[in-house]
Amino acid sequence: MPIAFALLAGVMAYTLWPSDESRPVPASERAELGLMTGLPIYWADGADLATLLDENAELPWVRQVLEQRYDLRPVDSFVSEEREGAVLEGLERLLIVQPRGISPAGNVALDDWVQDGGRLLYVIDPMLTGEYAAPLGDPRHPSVIGIVPPVLPRWGVIMETREENSDNAPQIIDTPVGPLPVAIAGRLTKRQSGIGNCTIEASGLIARCQVGEGQVTVLADAALFEARDGGEQEADIILALADYALR
């Protein structure tokens, strides 16, 4: 997303971001964070088996940033063949970014986990705009169209299409964690019959819901996570967003 991040750099020219030299946390003190995603966040885009086995292979920048604060645990499914919901047992925090899909049993397990006190950051994009090594139709290519799972409206969040998406022009939207670059973003609204107590922020880009004992934060755009490279400013935004949603 070079255009979006060029815009972001312009915003940063008059927005002061704190420089936190102590940002990396010792490995023994890092909180565990589950990660489910169809984007090349944990492994590099187009990584083959040799790359996956290479301990010296360069890791995606988003993973490097998150691992300054968190011990990442990749998650492919929320249910196990042995015990429903066992995958999420012991986790307090979870990040979901443009997943390939969540099964009905997975939605139930996720709902139970949140209501029991889990803290979730769910990033869903109505239409990805990044470029990827694998062609469309290849199983390794991310899900271009975000699939809204039924658990989101159950909690009280609906994602709609923004009218201003028609020209696909990148934008910067002010949020509680600072200016976020977005491309074809969704607009979040409240569903009055949801079980959660939700508030909508940042012109519908972010929703925050108290669900049972847990907390859900939904971000309706993944442009930040699609960026090929990230610098100090983007790292600050990633960590601020994680802190905002997962603390």
Side-chain angles (χ1 to χ4, degrees):
M1 298 300 300
I3 298 177
F5 280 94
L7 290 172
L8 179 60
V11 174
M12 293 297 184
Y14 58 85
T15 302
L16 297 178
W17 285 85
S19 178
D20 184 4
E21 296 181 357
S22 63
R23 179 170 59 197
V25 173
S28 60
E29 299 177 15
R30 293 172 191 163
E32 188 173 35
L33 175 62
L35 171 64
M36 171 181 275
T37 182
L39 298 183
I41 291 176
Y42 194 80
W43 300 114
D45 184 26
D48 55 17
L49 181 59
T51 303
L52 299 182
L53 296 175
D54 184 359
E55 295 181 355
N56 297 316
E58 185 175 358
L59 301 177
W61 73 272
V62 175
R63 175 176 172 179
Q64 294 183 49
V65 170
L66 289 172
E67 287 186 336
Q68 295 180 40
R69 294 269 181 91
Y70 300 98
D71 180 13
L72 294 182
R73 185 210 289 184
V75 176
D76 293 325
S77 172
F78 296 137
V79 294
S80 69
E81 295 181 359
E82 293 77 20
R83 281 190 303 142
E84 183 174 307
V87 174
L88 294 173
E89 285 184 3
L91 270 180
E92 296 181 4
R93 301 170 180 84
L94 178 64
L95 170 62
I96 303 176
V97 184
Q98 200 74 354
R100 299 189 184 282
I102 301 175
S103 69
N107 275 275
V108 173
L110 183 60
D111 183 34
D112 289 343
W113 175 80
V114 168
Q115 293 200 57
D116 286 343
R119 303 189 72 82
L120 170 64
L121 171 56
Y122 200 123
V123 182
I124 183 167
D125 197 309
M127 180 71 71
L128 296 181
T129 56
E131 297 181 358
Y132 299 94
L136 283 172
D138 189 301
R140 296 171 298 171
H141 195 287
S143 298
V144 174
I145 299 176
I147 302 172
V148 179
V151 73
L152 285 189
R154 169 174 166 77
W155 291 334
V157 178
I158 297 173
M159 187 169 75
E160 302 171 335
T161 302
R162 290 175 180 263
E163 294 180 2
E164 56 267 38
N165 280 344
S166 58
D167 58 3
N168 297 349
Q171 306 172 57
I172 296 294
I173 295 183
D174 289 328
T175 76
V177 300
L180 280 179
V182 302
I184 305 179
R187 186 185 303 280
L188 303 174
T189 59
K190 290 175 62 174
R191 179 173 182 261
Q192 298 302 325
S193 59
I195 66 172
N197 180 15
C198 300
T199 58
I200 305 299
E201 302 173 338
S203 302
L205 184 65
I206 294 175
R208 298 259 285 173
C209 300
Q210 184 71 35
V211 184
E213 299 297 320
Q215 178 77 39
V216 176
T217 302
V218 183
L219 172 62
D221 189 271
L224 177 63
F225 295 86
E226 285 194 279
R228 284 288 187 179
D229 299 293
E232 187 70 19
Q233 295 169 344
E234 291 78 34
D236 283 341
I237 297 175
I238 288 280
L239 291 180
L241 180 62
D243 286 346
Y244 174 74
L246 302 172
R247 277 187 175 176

